[in-house]
Amino acid sequence: MNKKILTMSCYVSAAFLGGLWIASQKVINSNDTDSSLLKQNVEALSQTESESARIKCYSSLTYELGASVVFCGDCSIKENRTDKWSCIHDYCLTN
């Protein structure tokens, strides 16, 4: 009887450790996939259009002391200004 309990506990322990190993491998593989996707996204975002860089700009500005923002009209930095509506923006292309 004791031999059967010992044998069963060995099988249960082996199954538990095997499950832990499989779960850890899935976590390791998912981290590798996530990091490669992140690397691809960074590379895609860092590519510029024909030697020009894109800078986020705004066309509706409001006064805010100490803030600065790029104005779309002439792609210049406006001091003590901020965007009136934060979700509405465009891009300026600089050389």
Side-chain angles (χ1 to χ4, degrees):
M1 184 71 167
N2 287 339
K3 197 173 191 179
K4 286 184 181 181
I5 293 173
L6 183 63
T7 303
M8 284 299 288
S9 65
C10 285
Y11 285 130
V12 169
S13 297
F16 179 74
L17 291 175
L20 282 177
W21 183 79
I22 290 171
S24 68
Q25 292 302 311
K26 287 188 177 190
V27 168
I28 290 170
N29 290 339
S30 71
N31 287 342
D32 290 342
T33 303
D34 291 345
S35 65
S36 67
L37 285 175
L38 179 63
K39 191 182 294 184
Q40 290 174 359
N41 286 342
V42 168
E43 288 173 1
L45 290 173
S46 66
Q47 291 177 352
T48 58
E49 297 178 6
S50 67
E51 302 293 326
S52 299
R54 292 173 16 131
I55 299 173
K56 190 184 290 188
C57 65
Y58 301 90
S59 49
S60 296
L61 304 181
T62 186
Y63 178 79
E64 183 177 318
L65 183 63
S68 64
V69 69
V70 177
F71 180 61
C72 289
D74 58 1
C75 292
S76 65
I77 297 174
K78 301 295 182 183
E79 299 293 328
N80 297 320
R81 298 278 187 253
T82 188
D83 54 309
K84 192 179 281 187
W85 301 290
S86 62
C87 61
I88 301 173
H89 67 275
D90 201 0
Y91 292 98
C92 286
L93 295 178
T94 61
N95 292 333

